[in-house]
Amino acid sequence: MVMFKAAFVREWRLLARQKADWLNPLMFFLIVLTLFPLGIGAKPNLLAEIAPGIIWIAALLSVLLGAERLFKDDFRQGVLEQLVAAEQPLLAYVLAKIVSSWCSTALPLLLMSPLIALLLGLDSAAWLAVLLTLLLGTPLLNLLAALGAALTLSADKGGILLALLILPLYIPLLIFASAAVDQASLGLDYSGQLAVLSAMLCLALALVPLAVLKALKLNVG
Amino acid sequence: MFEAVNLELTAGQLLQIGGKNGAGKSSLLRILAGLGQPDDGEVLWQNLPLTESDFPQNLCFIGHLSGIQPQLTALEHLEFWQAAFGLAPTDGYQVLATLGLAGLEDIPCQLLSAGQQRRVSLARLWLTNRPLWILDEPFTALDQSAILLLQQKFTEHLASGGAIILTTHQPLTQQFPAAQLLELAYRW
C-alpha cells in the first residue's frame, strides 16, 4: 500500500511535468471526432448512426497512443531493473501505473463525453450509454494497453508492434460497447451488453496485472 | 561469455571485479544480481539457488543505469526509494546534505551535473538496510570528495556485517586490504 501510494504520487508528478504525455492523446481524440462530422457533411442522421463506432475507435486509439510511454522511461533509466532485482513491491507499482494511466487518459474522455454527444448529434439516452460503456470499457483498454506496453518494452520500434498486438484484443470490447450505444439510441434495453463488459473487466482486472508483472520481469532479465 | 568463474563472499567482505572494457564485468554482476541466467553453473545465496532463497530481499542493486528520472527532484527520488525498500520515511534533507547536495533537493535532476546525479543515485545506500550491495561502477563521474565519502560508507557497511560486490577501475586495495579481487580477462 505504501508502495502503491509512492508509485502513484511519483507518476502524477511525472505527468504534471510532461504534459504532452497525456495531452497529446486527448487532443488526438478530440480532433479525430471533429474530423468525422466535417468529412461526412451535413447528414446528422448518418452521423448519429455511426457515432458509437466512431467514439469507441477514437477512444481506443487515443489510449493506445498514451500507452507506449507507460514503462519506457523506467526501463531506459534502470528503475525497473532495480525494482526487479531487489524484489521491491512490483505489483503495487504496476497497479499504480495502470490506475494513473486510466486517470490521465480515460477519465478526461468521460468528462468530455457530453461535448462529444453534442458534436455527433447523439440524444441523451445514447449519451448515457456512451458514458456507461466508457466507464466500464476504458479500464479494460488501459489494462490491455499496459500489457502491450510491458510486452514490447525492449522492442526498438515498439509502438507499431504494440498496436498490432493489442488492437485485436480490443475487438470484443468494441463490438459490445458499440452495440450497447446502438441499442440505447433505438430506445432498447442494453443491460446485457453492460453485463458482458463488466465480466470482461473483472477477468482482466484479475489476470492482466499479473501478466504485466511477468512481462516486465522477462524484459528486464 | 566467460568461464571458470568461482567465487565466494561472506559477511563483511568486499569483492572487486576488474577487467578490461568489454570483459563481461557488468554481465557477471547482472547474473550475480539474479537479472541474468548463467549458461552453465549456478549462483547460491546462503547455499540456496537464488530463485529459491530470500536473496532479492537482501539486495540493493545499482547498475550502470542510474535509475534517475530527469523530471523528478532528488527528494522525490528518495521518497520513492524509501517506499520501495519498505522503510519508514526519514529525513531526506539530512541524507542529501551528507552527500553534499544541500540546496539542490528541490531541483529536477535533469538540471544537476552527471556527478551530482550519481550522488543522488547512490543516496539509496544511505537509506537501505539491506546487507548485500551490488554496484556497477559506483565511482563513475564522482569527484575526489564523493569517492572518499563513498569509501567511508563502504567501510561502515562492511564493519556492520554487510557485503559488497562492485566493478571499478579504481584501485581499492589501500582502503580495503581485505578486498577480494576478481580479474576477468579475455581468453581466445
Side-chain angles (χ1 to χ4, degrees):
Chain A
M1 200 57 218
V2 179
M3 178 60 171
F4 178 83
K5 195 175 150 235
F8 191 72
V9 169
R10 177 174 179 272
E11 197 62 17
W12 274 104
R13 283 174 178 152
L14 285 172
L15 286 168
R17 282 164 216 182
Q18 298 171 294
K19 297 194 180 61
D21 277 353
W22 57 275
L23 271 177
N24 286 356
L26 281 184
M27 289 300 171
F28 173 81
F29 178 73
L30 264 185
I31 285 173
V32 168
L33 286 183
T34 328
L35 289 181
F36 270 96
L38 294 176
I40 287 170
K43 304 187 188 82
N45 291 335
L46 176 62
L47 202 56
E49 211 170 299
I50 59 172
I54 297 172
I55 294 175
W56 264 94
I57 290 171
L60 61 85
L61 289 179
S62 85
V63 167
L64 207 59
L65 201 61
E68 207 197 341
R69 62 159 286 277
L70 206 51
F71 299 109
K72 206 78 180 185
D73 282 350
D74 283 352
F75 179 66
R76 284 211 191 113
Q77 267 123 29
V79 179
L80 271 176
E81 66 175 20
Q82 284 162 6
L83 289 175
V84 169
E87 182 107 330
Q88 286 156 344
L90 205 57
L91 189 61
Y93 163 87
V94 168
L95 288 174
K97 281 272 180 188
I98 293 173
V99 173
S100 66
S101 80
W102 183 79
C103 292
S104 63
T105 59
L107 197 56
L109 300 190
L110 291 178
L111 297 177
M112 283 194 301
S113 67
L115 181 69
I116 296 158
L118 222 60
L119 208 64
L120 298 176
L122 289 175
D123 56 22
S124 63
W127 165 70
L128 187 64
V130 168
L131 189 66
L132 287 175
T133 52
L134 281 177
L135 197 61
L136 288 174
T138 47
L140 194 56
L141 290 182
N142 285 109
L143 281 162
L144 292 175
L147 180 58
L151 284 171
T152 57
L153 202 50
S154 46
D156 234 359
K157 295 265 184 291
I160 290 294
L161 188 61
L162 172 66
L164 291 177
L165 206 64
I166 294 305
L167 282 177
L169 295 180
Y170 285 163
I171 292 172
L173 180 60
L174 188 62
I175 291 172
F176 284 104
S178 4
V181 184
D182 259 345
Q183 299 266 51
S185 53
L186 295 174
L188 299 172
D189 175 45
Y190 54 92
S191 53
Q193 280 86 351
L194 289 187
V196 174
L197 287 180
S198 317
M200 291 198 285
L201 178 58
C202 290
L203 193 68
L205 264 180
L207 297 179
V208 169
L210 296 176
V212 172
L213 198 70
K214 192 77 197 160
L216 288 181
K217 283 187 178 168
L218 273 178
N219 270 300
V220 168
Chain B
M1 200 163 195
F2 28 71
E3 49 185 1
V5 175
N6 198 352
L7 53 96
E8 196 175 345
L9 194 70
T10 53
Q13 269 193 325
L14 182 141
L15 168 68
Q16 177 182 4
I17 299 172
K20 290 187 181 132
N21 295 141
K25 300 187 293 294
S26 295
S27 307
L28 180 58
L29 275 197
R30 288 182 69 83
I31 291 175
L32 291 176
L35 287 170
Q37 296 300 319
D39 290 336
D40 192 22
E42 55 183 348
V43 184
L44 301 179
W45 171 256
Q46 295 174 338
N47 294 324
L48 283 172
L50 286 193
T51 45
E52 291 165 32
S53 66
D54 59 352
F55 171 75
Q57 286 99 303
N58 288 292
L59 174 68
C60 179
F61 173 77
I62 304 181
H64 74 276
L65 298 167
S66 63
I68 298 288
Q69 274 284 358
Q71 293 84 8
L72 296 178
T73 70
L75 211 55
E76 287 164 356
H77 278 97
L78 260 58
E79 254 174 55
F80 178 69
W81 291 329
Q82 273 170 349
F85 282 121
L87 296 170
T90 50
D91 186 7
Y93 286 99
Q94 187 91 49
V95 175
L96 290 172
T98 315
L99 280 157
L101 293 168
L104 302 172
E105 298 93 345
D106 294 320
I107 296 176
C109 284
Q110 57 192 350
L111 300 178
L112 301 180
S113 75
Q116 287 170 330
Q117 289 193 17
R118 194 80 213 172
R119 289 180 190 221
V120 175
S121 175
L122 291 167
R124 232 164 312 183
L125 302 177
W126 272 259
L127 298 175
T128 178
N129 52 3
R130 303 204 166 177
L132 176 63
W133 296 355
I134 297 188
L135 314 172
D136 197 349
E137 302 280 2
F139 298 111
T140 312
L142 291 181
D143 60 22
Q144 209 53 45
S145 67
I147 290 177
L148 279 177
L149 198 67
L150 190 56
Q151 287 175 344
Q152 273 168 20
K153 187 71 192 165
F154 285 173
T155 314
E156 275 172 42
H157 182 60
L158 295 174
S160 64
I164 302 171
I165 305 176
L166 60 91
T167 63
T168 182
H169 299 287
Q170 193 98 6
L172 286 176
T173 33
Q174 268 194 337
Q175 287 83 5
F176 305 101
Q180 292 186 55
L181 184 65
L182 177 76
E183 193 75 17
L184 296 180
Y186 292 115
R187 196 164 73 187
W188 304 102

